[in-house]
Amino acid sequence: MEKRSLYNNKLLPYLLLAPQLVITLVFFYWPASQAVWMSFRMEDAFGTTTEFVGLENYVSLFQQRAYYESMATTVIFSIAVTFLAMSFSLLLAVMADKQIRGGSVYRTLLIWPYAVAPAIAGVLWLFMFQPSLGMIGRGLISIGVPWNPMLNGDHALLLVILAAAWKQISYNFLFFLAGLQSIPKSLIEAAAIDGARPTRRFWTIVFPMLSPTTFFLLVVNIVYVFFDTFGIIDAITHGGPAKATETLVFKVYQDGRLGGDLGGSAAQSVVLMVIVIALTAIQFRYVERKVTY
Amino acid sequence: MAEVTLNDVRKVYAGGVEAVKGVSLDIPDGGFCVLVGPSGCGKSTLLRMVAGLETISSGQVAIGGRVVNEIEPAERDIAMVFQNYALYPHMSVYDNIAYGLRNRGTPKDEIDRRVQEAARILAIEPFLQRKPRALSGGQRQRVAMGRAIVRKPQVFLFDEPLSNLDAKLRVQMRVEIKKLQRALGVTSIYVTHDQVEAMTLSDKLVVMSGGQVEQVGTPTEVYRRPETRFVATFIGSPPMNILPGLVDGDGRVSVGGLTLAADDLPAGLEPGRHVDVGVRPEEVEVAPAGAPGAPFAIDFVEELGATELLHGTLGGSPFVLQVNTGAVSPGTKAVTLAIPSRCVHVFDAETGKRLGRAESATARAA
Amino acid sequence: MVERKHWFSTLLPHAILILGVLIVAFPVYVAFVGSSWDAGTIANGTMPMTPGPYLVENYSRVILSGNATAREPVGPMLFNSFVMAMIIALGKIAISIISAYAVVYFRFPLRKTAFWLIFITLMLPVEVRIYPTYKIVADLGLLDTYGGLAIPLIASATATLLFRQFFMTIPDELVEASKIDGAGPWKFFKDTVLPLSITTVAALFVIQFIYGWNQYLWPLLITTREDMQTIVIGIKKMLVTQDALTEWQLAMATAVLAMLPPVVVVLVMQKLFVRGLVETEK
């Protein structure tokens, strides 16, 4: 869609765009292209010059066992968080969508965790599940669970998953609720007249009608787990124990911080870029479908 | 105040679509010109070119003798009333009306005087401090009018200003617009797709179709003597009946075996030529029993209150007849019609152009 | 709708929602309780479920003097977070609204290119270009400055798209009426577009303020001086690997303080928040 009536100044539009474009070019495109360029180069032994090495950085990246482990961690993490946060939020949204007393109060009480920083969410959950002093951590040990996220990688990953899912409940809840409220009441009424009981109505009418929202949230949650959980991981486990909670983004950060292999770190960044592009592309296909729906 | 002249004005869009195909028009100072036609006929585009909202592909638009092709809307000294009113939603009624004057640096007290005057004329004084959303459709329409008249422009442009109102209000505002225009004497161009609005408002009626002018004239001229089949069916309600026929000799046509006399049909047309014969539903009368005429078989009746529409067949073609209620007793299946020869319009079957005598309609009327 | 209701089916939604609210609130409640006890009680693992007597002491300590591990008191960290969040939120809104205005209301060479350049930044989150961006900020001498904290984050494809989408809903007739009323592009922006955009701007502000306040990775990288630290980073630094040394009561007090501003913003401006969230993602 385009506007019918326009202004035809020559210089003004460029001036209006300049601040955004300058920042974009300096802080987005230049660094991104640097990452791509660096990923094809390698430093010499003294770290003074670099030379072109083709795909060598990528080859050695994909030969690292650690990289595959990190990828597996990220995938498990994504699936668990997405499933937990989405199913629980959908349940809450369906309940809040019923015309019950105090519906808006529940909504208010459910949405505020959106405002909690991921890193702080991590700190809160660590405080509860810390094995020696955390309220729940001690509780688990007292009933005989050998709970120790500081040493046990599975426990650490579980804790990170819980914190990340907790933080995402509000977001999913809001979108599911908005999705539910946009389903025309007349459809539900027609189904009721057609003899469908509430549970059947949910699965045959409501849930299919929600599918655009569900799909959208699926992508958003995956992107969230990939990129926005850095703070949670850094606060709770620092990627440990023994790299059990090291996601791809955390690995880029960690490897880069230790310094040295600039090319390898750049190659990791490029792989991440490809993943974001793929996820965004999927999201656009969805947006497009929604537009032409 | 000024006359508006359009000289072979064309609009070709970037994609090559020709929305307006060469329109020439003279609107005298103080005249009320209505552009009417179905949607997509180019009437709005033409108006927007006069406003300066669309560029002119070729030809010239002049306001008060000044060619305005390259002049910006603000400098054309025009005011426009939009279909959706285009009121600034965040400004009060007062500010909406005053905005154009403020942008032109009119002194404050002068602005206030003019806004108050416009508000008084339009009876919107009680609402001046309200926001547009707190007004009814009719009131918004008045504010849009106020915004136009406060500027005392040379030309008013109206783009379907009444089509968002309900039927009753539309009739009322129609009358008010006409009165206001008379009182102010400002040259006006008015676009509408509603032929009743077009007939009642205009002193110069322009019927458009497919980017071209079909006919220009007073409402009566256009109604009495439509120049094309398109105009004949577009102006008038219910629309003119069109029946396929043949030329049957000087001043006569035949329609499905019936022979009709047509006053306006020129002499010397070859017999057997295909024509379209037009007859207005309201100009035909039911002949007394036994009198000669055209047999009309009635299928069903639509009652409109004072009048009735009789749907049926005449000479093998569908035909509609409008009569006063009660003129035909209920249940009647067939009547004979008297079709006056001055009411028979004949159009070329291919071009749709009127086959008429050379003398002008005005001479005929006199 | 007429529907037979079992007492169970009217109670069930409330039960589930209350459970949801408890799950959502519990971690924060525990943090609050933690911030009201002394180090000893917490370290023993004997902290009860109810607030203790050390509330005032703990909060005055973190606000005024900081603790042993992060020597910066929380006051300046809150200030840093506030400044960063404000620059990010206002900066994003300002540069996005004018670029969307340019893209929607003007036709000029390279318009599409400019639009796509902005659009594609959606695919380049800071996480995928951490170190090269760090290097540029360092080269520009922006490490440990508010500019360095905020400016790289204020380019915004989502805000630009949102404003573009909103501008598309402004009827064409308003521009046309403005032109006839003698308003040029700047006057139209100031007198009509901006006032009409107020709710969009406010909704966006709520979302972007929270976004800015909660930044973690970026400030972690580019702040080295302690007086430039934001509060979210500050808390992390209070956690010591050897748990015995962590002053949990102070860390929790700081966490509560760090959560307070964005949570208050969400609760007070709930309508705008919901609108902003739902619309930026559309």
Side-chain angles (χ1 to χ4, degrees):
Chain A
M1 218 181 94
E2 300 273 300
K3 283 280 177 195
R4 183 174 70 192
S5 265
L6 302 161
Y7 287 103
N8 39 22
N9 304 52
K10 297 282 170 275
L11 188 62
L12 189 60
Y14 295 104
L15 290 177
L16 292 172
L17 276 166
Q20 177 98 286
L21 286 180
V22 167
I23 291 173
T24 318
L25 292 174
V26 172
F27 296 108
F28 283 72
Y29 287 98
W30 174 250
S33 54
Q34 280 286 302
V36 174
W37 192 71
M38 291 290 290
S39 74
F40 293 111
R41 302 184 75 83
M42 202 177 271
E43 280 181 314
D44 66 8
F46 307 100
T48 46
T49 56
T50 60
E51 60 170 333
F52 183 78
V53 293
L55 291 173
E56 205 174 306
N57 286 317
Y58 292 94
V59 171
S60 65
L61 182 64
F62 284 104
Q63 279 167 350
Q64 275 179 47
R65 206 182 136 72
Y67 195 67
Y68 290 102
E69 280 166 2
S70 170
M71 217 176 248
T73 305
T74 313
V75 170
I76 295 169
F77 191 23
S78 308
I79 293 173
V81 171
T82 305
F83 177 76
L84 265 181
M86 282 181 66
S87 51
F88 190 56
S89 308
L90 178 59
L91 177 68
L92 292 176
V94 168
M95 294 303 150
D97 186 45
K98 292 186 194 294
Q99 317 274 302
I100 56 170
R101 211 174 301 169
S104 64
V105 177
Y106 286 122
R107 193 180 82 162
T108 306
L109 291 174
L110 285 168
I111 60 174
W112 58 268
Y114 176 84
V116 177
I120 294 178
V123 173
L124 298 185
W125 281 75
L126 179 59
F127 184 55
M128 289 193 297
F129 280 87
Q130 215 280 347
S132 62
L133 55 80
M135 200 172 273
I136 300 179
R138 282 175 63 96
L140 286 171
I141 290 171
S142 74
I143 59 166
V145 180
W147 173 258
N148 194 347
M150 305 297 145
L151 298 174
N152 182 317
D154 293 341
H155 293 177
L157 187 58
L158 181 65
L159 182 53
V160 173
I161 287 170
L162 288 175
W166 174 81
K167 161 91 182 86
Q168 197 64 358
I169 290 173
S170 333
Y171 186 92
N172 293 343
F173 170 76
L174 263 179
F175 275 85
F176 274 133
L177 190 60
L180 286 168
Q181 285 169 348
S182 71
I183 298 176
K185 286 283 161 286
S186 59
L187 270 178
I188 314 280
E189 288 162 359
I193 290 168
D194 283 340
R197 304 293 305 150
T199 315
R200 196 169 155 70
R201 286 208 295 269
F202 178 79
W203 290 111
T204 56
I205 310 287
V206 176
F207 193 69
M209 293 285 290
L210 263 186
S211 65
T213 308
T214 311
F215 183 79
F216 164 78
L217 285 176
L218 202 64
V219 177
V220 168
N221 279 278
I222 293 172
V223 171
Y224 159 78
V225 177
F226 264 72
F227 299 102
D228 295 339
T229 52
F230 176 85
I232 297 179
I233 296 168
D234 197 40
I236 300 185
T237 65
H238 222 72
K243 304 199 173 202
T245 54
E246 193 174 78
T247 59
L248 291 173
V249 167
F250 200 88
K251 191 170 161 59
V252 175
Y253 167 77
Q254 197 74 333
D255 292 0
R257 208 170 60 110
L258 299 175
D261 186 11
L262 282 175
S265 172
Q268 282 191 44
S269 292
V270 173
V271 173
L272 275 178
M273 247 181 255
V274 172
I275 294 173
V276 196
I277 289 169
L279 284 172
T280 324
I282 293 173
Q283 208 173 338
F284 287 158
R285 285 195 56 163
Y286 150 82
V287 171
E288 217 173 54
R289 215 176 41 186
K290 195 172 68 169
V291 169
T292 55
Y293 186 66
Chain B
M1 273 159 264
E3 75 282 357
V4 176
T5 315
L6 276 64
N7 186 11
D8 196 23
V9 172
R10 276 167 209 280
K11 177 73 191 181
V12 184
Y13 283 107
V17 178
E18 201 172 2
V20 175
K21 302 172 180 167
V23 170
S24 298
L25 209 55
D26 283 308
I27 302 159
D29 187 10
F32 200 127
C33 170
V34 175
L35 307 178
V36 68
S39 60
C41 72
K43 57 189 190 300
S44 279
T45 311
L46 195 60
L47 185 80
R48 293 165 55 77
M49 285 195 281
V50 176
L53 299 171
E54 298 277 355
T55 55
I56 297 163
S57 305
S58 74
Q60 273 186 346
V61 173
I63 299 176
R66 176 176 70 141
V67 174
V68 294
N69 282 35
E70 299 301 326
I71 291 174
E72 291 195 7
E75 273 119 49
R76 291 191 183 196
D77 204 5
I78 48 140
M80 185 154 170
V81 178
F82 294 88
Q83 180 175 359
N84 63 5
Y85 318 133
L87 301 179
Y88 307 112
H90 56 292
M91 295 185 195
S92 67
V93 167
Y94 186 100
D95 291 338
N96 261 285
I97 299 177
Y99 188 63
L101 294 175
R102 286 193 187 132
N103 288 340
R104 285 173 173 75
T106 314
K108 237 184 161 140
D109 47 339
E110 169 76 4
I111 293 179
D112 191 59
R113 205 180 52 71
R114 288 218 229 166
V115 173
Q116 295 296 348
E117 189 193 342
R120 190 179 47 73
I121 295 173
L122 294 160
I124 49 172
E125 287 153 305
F127 318 125
L128 280 177
Q129 295 315 317
R130 291 206 199 154
K131 293 276 169 67
R133 68 168 170 277
L135 302 180
S136 70
Q139 289 162 347
R140 286 181 206 180
Q141 167 63 44
R142 285 165 195 273
V143 177
M145 296 281 297
R147 190 164 68 180
I149 66 175
V150 77
R151 294 243 322 275
K152 301 190 192 302
Q154 290 197 329
V155 182
F156 283 146
L157 304 174
F158 297 90
D159 190 2
E160 309 227 14
L162 302 182
S163 55
N164 282 5
L165 298 178
D166 63 48
K168 198 177 151 204
L169 213 49
R170 200 148 55 204
V171 173
Q172 185 192 336
M173 283 309 296
R174 196 168 79 199
V175 175
E176 289 193 26
I177 288 179
K178 182 82 181 171
K179 277 193 202 156
L180 194 63
Q181 196 266 345
R182 285 266 167 81
L184 300 174
V186 177
T187 314
S188 300
I189 307 179
Y190 188 110
V191 162
T192 179
H193 64 269
D194 177 351
Q195 52 107 0
V196 178
E197 226 170 275
M199 295 286 286
T200 51
L201 283 172
S202 62
D203 38 56
K204 185 163 202 162
L205 181 58
V206 178
V207 185
M208 292 184 67
S209 163
Q212 276 166 325
V213 171
E214 293 274 330
Q215 187 170 359
V216 182
T218 65
T220 318
E221 281 166 8
V222 174
Y223 176 79
R224 284 274 155 79
R225 198 169 189 276
E227 285 301 330
T228 65
R229 186 175 51 209
F230 173 81
V231 175
T233 50
F234 192 79
I235 298 291
S237 170
M240 186 185 279
N241 294 296
I242 298 288
L243 310 159
L246 302 168
V247 174
D248 192 26
D250 282 351
R252 284 195 320 274
V253 287
S254 75
V255 175
L258 292 170
T259 303
L260 300 177
D263 282 357
D264 198 38
L265 194 66
L269 293 174
E270 88 235 48
R273 172 173 174 172
H274 285 275
V275 291
D276 282 329
V277 178
V279 180
R280 290 206 184 274
E282 62 273 26
E283 291 189 327
V284 177
E285 275 166 29
V286 178
F296 174 55
I298 303 169
D299 288 337
F300 66 96
V301 179
E302 268 186 294
E303 291 174 18
L304 303 178
T307 61
E308 299 179 322
L309 297 184
L310 310 181
H311 293 258
T313 326
L314 183 103
S317 302
F319 192 86
V320 178
L321 172 65
Q322 187 170 30
V323 294
N324 289 331
T325 303
V328 174
S329 50
T332 309
K333 283 289 155 209
V335 289
T336 308
L337 301 183
I339 302 177
S341 56
R342 63 180 163 80
C343 300
V344 175
H345 308 263
V346 183
F347 304 96
D348 185 281
E350 255 171 56
T351 63
K353 289 247 160 26
R354 183 183 189 87
L355 297 173
R357 295 180 194 230
E359 65 261 47
S360 71
T362 35
R364 182 168 298 272
Chain C
M1 240 188 313
V2 181
E3 203 141 29
R4 275 189 309 277
K5 282 207 170 107
H6 197 250
W7 63 268
F8 179 73
S9 66
T10 34
L11 266 179
L12 185 70
H14 288 283
I16 291 177
L17 286 168
I18 288 168
L19 182 73
V21 169
L22 287 181
I23 289 178
V24 154
F26 188 68
V28 177
Y29 178 73
V30 173
F32 173 72
V33 172
S35 73
S36 69
W37 286 97
D38 58 313
T41 314
I42 296 172
N44 294 338
T46 52
M47 188 182 88
M49 280 292 285
T50 49
Y54 296 89
L55 194 75
V56 177
E57 187 195 320
N58 290 341
Y59 282 88
S60 56
R61 245 184 91 192
V62 293
I63 292 171
L64 300 175
S65 54
N67 69 356
T69 38
R71 268 166 300 279
E72 277 307 306
V74 166
M77 293 200 293
L78 279 171
F79 178 77
N80 290 341
S81 283
F82 180 76
V83 172
M84 177 174 77
M86 286 300 274
I87 300 179
I88 290 178
L90 296 177
K92 266 183 195 261
I93 290 170
I95 67 171
S96 301
I97 197 169
I98 57 175
S99 37
Y101 186 65
V103 169
V104 172
Y105 284 104
F106 295 85
R107 286 295 166 277
F108 49 94
L110 300 179
R111 183 179 77 102
K112 286 254 158 69
T113 315
F115 179 73
W116 281 102
L117 274 177
I118 297 170
F119 191 64
I120 289 172
T121 59
L122 273 180
M123 305 191 187
L124 299 171
V126 69
E127 287 81 2
V128 309
R129 51 187 167 83
I130 312 175
Y131 291 103
T133 315
Y134 172 84
K135 190 168 178 305
I136 288 192
V137 171
D139 290 348
L140 292 173
L142 289 173
L143 294 182
D144 286 318
T145 63
Y146 289 124
L149 274 172
I151 293 172
L153 301 178
I154 69 175
S156 179
T158 44
T160 309
L161 289 174
L162 177 64
F163 279 122
R164 175 177 171 273
Q165 198 181 14
F166 173 70
F167 293 166
M168 297 310 284
T169 67
I170 297 179
D172 279 330
E173 286 83 356
L174 279 190
V175 198
E176 294 171 348
S178 290
K179 283 184 172 182
I180 292 173
D181 278 340
W186 174 244
K187 252 184 120 32
F188 176 61
F189 180 73
K190 185 169 67 79
D191 291 346
T192 304
V193 172
L194 205 52
L196 289 179
S197 309
I198 284 301
T199 28
T200 307
V201 167
L204 205 54
F205 177 82
V206 173
I207 301 300
Q208 300 302 349
F209 181 85
I210 296 169
Y211 165 86
W213 184 277
N214 289 347
Q215 281 303 312
Y216 184 77
L217 176 56
W218 184 244
L220 186 65
L221 277 174
I222 79 138
T223 55
T224 52
R225 283 206 338 250
E226 288 188 336
D227 62 341
M228 280 308 292
Q229 249 162 41
T230 64
I231 187 147
V232 179
I233 305 293
I235 295 170
K236 168 67 184 29
K237 297 226 164 136
M238 287 183 182
L239 305 184
V240 189
T241 338
Q242 298 92 335
D243 292 298
L245 292 176
T246 300
E247 295 182 275
W248 280 100
Q249 79 284 12
L250 300 186
M252 288 302 122
T254 312
V256 170
L257 289 173
M259 280 185 280
L260 218 50
V263 168
V264 167
V265 166
V266 165
L267 292 180
V268 173
M269 304 202 234
Q270 200 188 138
K271 266 217 176 89
L272 285 172
F273 161 70
V274 172
R275 204 186 128 155
L277 196 62
V278 174
E279 287 190 355
T280 40
E281 298 290 1
K282 251 194 322 212

